[in-house]
Amino acid sequence: MEQEFELIAKTFQGLEGILADELAAIGAKDIKKGRRVVYFTGDTAMMYRANYLLRTAIRVLKPLKHFSATTADEVYEAVRHYEWRNILDADTTFAVDSVVYSENFSYSKFVAYKVKDAIVDYFRETIGKRPNISVANPDIRFHIHISDDDCTLSLDSSGDSLHKRGYRVATVEAPMNEVLAAGIVKLTGWKGDTDFIDPMCGSGTIAIEAGLIAKGIAPGKFRKVFAFQKWQDYSADLFESIRKEAEGAERPFDHHIYASDVDATAVAAARANIVEAGLDEDCIVERKDFRDFKQPAAPALMIINPPYGVRLKPDSSLPLLYKMIGERLKHQFVGGEAWIICNHEELFDSIGLKPSLKIPLYNGSLDCQLQKYQIFGGKLEDFRREGGDIKTDEERRTMAQPHRFKQNRDFKKHIDEGEDYGEIPDYMIRKHREFEQNERRRERRESYGDRGKYRQRGGDDDRYGQRRDGGEGYQRQRGDARRGGSYRSGQDSRGGRYDDRGGRNDDRGGRYRKD
């Protein structure tokens, strides 16, 4: 029997409990929840299974080394003394991601560079040859996580974020992350036992994730490759057996999923993605305004992800939109259960209905709430007088938990004039660009081996870089960043910190609007 080892599954804040339940369901052991992570143990089959089956995991890591460090040099020394020949060779390309929560390290990307240097120097000293770096498509990806002085160096078994299922062939502006969408569906407790309604579907992510859950289709079914498939010890037969096992667990869905949106482009995107996911026989997609929503004939659960008004000039019509949502639910969804996600208390208040449950969640960088509404006819006091109750005993216990909503949340009470979320300051963009430009120049020099030869071939690269940083080209870059044109590159240059902050980097999916 193969020896079991430590594993870490990363997720969004607020989904740790759901992910822990998923891990228990697939047979993981020693499950322990952390902040945006769940720790567990398992063998190689469990690692493959976690990547293929988990709906609410962003990535699965296999720790290699735990150590303490308070400086980048200490990180370098700890990493350099690991036996890297057991993991990769000089012909293997690799990359390093980093997540840092420590006052001892001011720049997470610098930590990643020190880890990279340590691995390269290990091979130079042992075999006289260095492996190559590949940021875009490495054979092996490492992950360094630092909290205060506790450091964990891991192998990334996933590669691309697990939210990248593989079924998205069309999109709209800022689609919801697939992991978050699956997490919201699972938080509602819906298992495919009723109809499902998504009346503001965007490109269809929530509806698709609901369909995959209802039919028991593994989220990894559409994905072309996982990082562990490039490892030296990869077993294709073992992974194939897990694929077949998952296919055998698929089940029929006896109800329907109704997805609609007022925007024609969104409806077209949703249809294309639903077809790609193989759910076109289960999902009915229409262009429809929620103002025209009518009482469904069969019992149904509804999830709504309405516009938040983020990164747009605050729209005075948003409270009216939310008021309309409340009126439609009150008069045309009697007996139903609706869940709404938003990041403004003011907009929730505009709905005019009393929620039975509030769940704190992050949508990208946005501090949101998912609220549950039990819809009944007439007035609340009459409903209660007749023995009705909008909250279960479990929901009362959940809402009564202390510190459930942290005091210093960024959950918005009001829509502020001109508010902007997550924008990276110009000086941070400049700092990251300067650092990475210098690192790229250094790596090019190292790749030639002979620095003198490099200077002869490459010209006065250092002085050119200084002129560029201080001259007109640099000011032009800075202006682009202010206009938002370089925003994405600014995010990427901030490194792996975004991994753990709800997916604002490669794990981010979408941040603002609907889907």
Side-chain angles (χ1 to χ4, degrees):
M1 184 175 179
E2 185 185 359
Q3 184 178 2
E4 295 184 341
F5 45 85
E6 178 187 2
L7 290 162
I8 300 172
K10 301 180 68 176
T11 189
F12 292 160
Q13 189 167 334
L15 298 182
E16 297 91 345
I18 294 294
L19 178 54
D21 291 343
E22 283 196 274
L23 283 164
I26 65 173
K29 299 178 182 178
D30 304 318
I31 299 169
K32 181 182 178 182
K33 292 184 289 186
R35 184 182 180 188
R36 293 191 287 269
V37 297
V38 178
Y39 306 95
F40 64 106
T41 58
D43 56 12
T44 299
M46 176 55 63
M47 184 180 68
Y48 291 178
R49 193 172 287 115
N51 276 284
Y52 195 73
L53 297 178
L54 294 178
R55 302 182 191 278
T56 56
I58 295 171
R59 59 184 67 248
V60 178
L61 305 176
K62 180 182 180 181
L64 299 174
K65 184 180 180 69
H66 297 279
F67 58 94
S68 296
T70 57
T71 67
D73 288 339
E74 290 177 355
V75 171
Y76 171 88
E77 289 299 326
V79 174
R80 189 170 63 88
H81 288 93
Y82 187 81
E83 287 296 326
W84 291 107
R85 283 177 293 188
N86 298 330
I87 305 296
L88 70 162
D89 55 39
D91 296 322
T92 305
T93 61
F94 75 94
V96 181
D97 295 326
S98 57
V99 175
V100 177
Y101 298 105
S102 174
E103 294 181 356
N104 299 320
F105 303 89
S106 58
Y107 185 36
S108 63
K109 199 74 170 181
F110 182 65
V111 174
Y113 283 124
K114 295 299 286 187
V115 172
K116 181 266 297 180
D117 287 346
I119 296 173
V120 168
D121 290 347
Y122 167 88
F123 280 95
R124 279 177 175 156
E125 294 170 5
T126 55
I127 66 173
K129 185 178 178 183
R130 56 163 284 165
N132 293 318
I133 312 298
S134 175
V135 176
N137 188 31
D139 297 323
I140 302 289
R141 187 178 293 275
F142 299 104
H143 184 89
I144 178 75
H145 182 281
I146 300 178
S147 178
D148 295 327
D149 61 349
D150 293 328
C151 307
T152 301
L153 181 63
S154 304
L155 267 172
D156 182 350
S157 69
S158 304
D160 283 342
S161 168
L162 294 177
H163 85 270
K164 296 182 179 180
R165 311 289 204 216
Y167 60 70
R168 188 185 295 278
V169 294
T171 191
V172 295
E173 183 180 357
M176 178 178 279
N177 184 293
E178 290 85 340
V179 165
L180 177 61
I184 289 174
V185 175
K186 293 185 78 67
L187 282 168
T188 70
W190 186 78
K191 297 180 177 65
D193 46 354
T194 67
D195 286 349
F196 183 95
I197 302 172
D198 180 1
M200 299 184 183
C201 68
S203 60
T205 308
I206 293 176
I208 292 171
E209 292 297 324
L212 299 183
I213 290 171
K215 301 190 74 170
I217 298 174
K221 181 175 183 176
F222 312 97
R223 188 173 169 119
K224 290 183 173 60
V225 66
F226 296 90
F228 61 75
Q229 292 177 279
K230 299 180 180 180
W231 293 4
Q232 294 174 352
D233 61 352
Y234 169 61
S235 171
D237 291 340
L238 176 60
F239 186 46
E240 183 60 26
S241 69
I242 290 171
R243 285 182 185 271
K244 290 181 178 179
E245 177 186 300
E247 289 179 1
E250 294 179 8
R251 54 186 178 265
F253 175 48
D254 298 325
H255 301 277
H256 288 93
I257 294 173
Y258 297 92
S260 59
D261 201 285
V262 70
D263 182 74
T265 302
V267 170
R271 283 178 176 150
N273 293 331
I274 285 169
V275 169
E276 188 69 17
L279 297 172
D280 45 309
E281 294 184 0
D282 306 285
C283 298
I284 298 172
V285 186
E286 298 178 286
R287 184 182 181 187
K288 183 190 298 183
D289 194 322
F290 192 56
R291 291 175 176 82
D292 300 324
F293 180 79
K294 301 296 183 183
Q295 182 79 35
L301 180 137
M302 182 185 296
I303 295 178
I304 310 176
N305 179 32
Y308 305 164
V310 178
R311 297 186 64 79
L312 301 172
K313 185 175 180 180
D315 188 345
S316 60
S317 68
L318 274 178
L320 296 177
L321 172 65
Y322 280 71
K323 181 180 179 181
M324 179 273 293
I325 291 173
E327 291 174 345
R328 286 287 92 188
L329 292 175
K330 182 65 176 176
H331 299 292
Q332 296 294 333
F333 200 52
V334 177
E337 182 180 303
W339 296 73
I340 302 174
I341 183 171
C342 182
N343 78 320
H344 280 95
E345 188 69 47
E346 178 183 344
L347 296 178
F348 274 128
D349 290 343
S350 298
I351 293 173
L353 303 177
K354 186 176 180 61
S356 59
L357 185 63
K358 300 178 181 180
I359 300 175
L361 281 179
Y362 275 86
N363 185 359
S365 65
L366 301 181
D367 195 345
C368 297
Q369 281 182 186
L370 177 66
Q371 297 194 172
K372 175 185 177 182
Y373 297 87
Q374 291 285 1
I375 312 301
F376 55 88
K379 296 181 179 180
L380 178 59
E381 53 266 30
D382 295 335
F383 178 70
R384 286 174 170 167
R385 190 179 303 114
E386 295 170 0
D389 198 343
I390 65 170
K391 290 184 182 179
T392 65
D393 291 339
E394 182 180 354
E395 288 169 352
R396 285 192 178 88
R397 287 192 295 269
T398 300
M399 291 294 289
Q401 291 174 0
H403 310 300
R404 190 160 171 273
F405 293 90
K406 61 183 181 180
Q407 291 183 348
N408 298 320
R409 291 180 66 202
D410 193 32
F411 186 65
K412 302 296 182 181
K413 297 296 182 182
H414 304 285
I415 304 177
D416 301 323
E417 184 67 33
E419 66 183 350
D420 197 7
Y421 292 83
E423 191 66 74
I424 300 174
D426 285 349
Y427 78 90
M428 287 299 291
I429 294 175
R430 294 198 301 273
K431 176 181 177 182
H432 296 322
R433 281 184 179 151
E434 291 166 3
F435 186 88
E436 292 193 331
Q437 285 168 2
N438 290 335
E439 282 298 311
R440 284 194 293 270
R441 287 196 288 270
R442 184 167 69 90
E443 288 177 5
R444 287 198 297 269
R445 287 197 296 269
E446 290 176 353
S447 66
Y448 280 107
D450 184 348
R451 296 195 177 196
K453 181 179 179 181
Y454 172 76
R455 289 193 181 99
Q456 183 179 359
R457 290 185 56 164
D460 195 358
D461 186 78
D462 287 342
R463 286 204 298 272
Y464 169 75
Q466 292 170 4
R467 288 199 303 272
R468 183 185 180 204
D469 287 351
E472 180 183 353
Y474 176 69
Q475 294 298 326
R476 184 165 56 251
Q477 283 189 332
R478 179 181 178 187
D480 289 343
R482 284 177 173 165
R483 291 192 298 273
S486 297
Y487 176 67
R488 182 175 296 277
S489 63
Q491 278 184 327
D492 291 344
S493 68
R494 294 188 70 169
R497 286 185 63 220
Y498 283 11
D499 247 357
D500 265 22
R501 293 188 63 183
R504 290 169 62 190
N505 196 351
D506 67 336
D507 298 335
R508 61 181 285 213
R511 295 176 55 196
Y512 301 128
R513 194 176 160 268
K514 58 185 179 180
D515 184 66

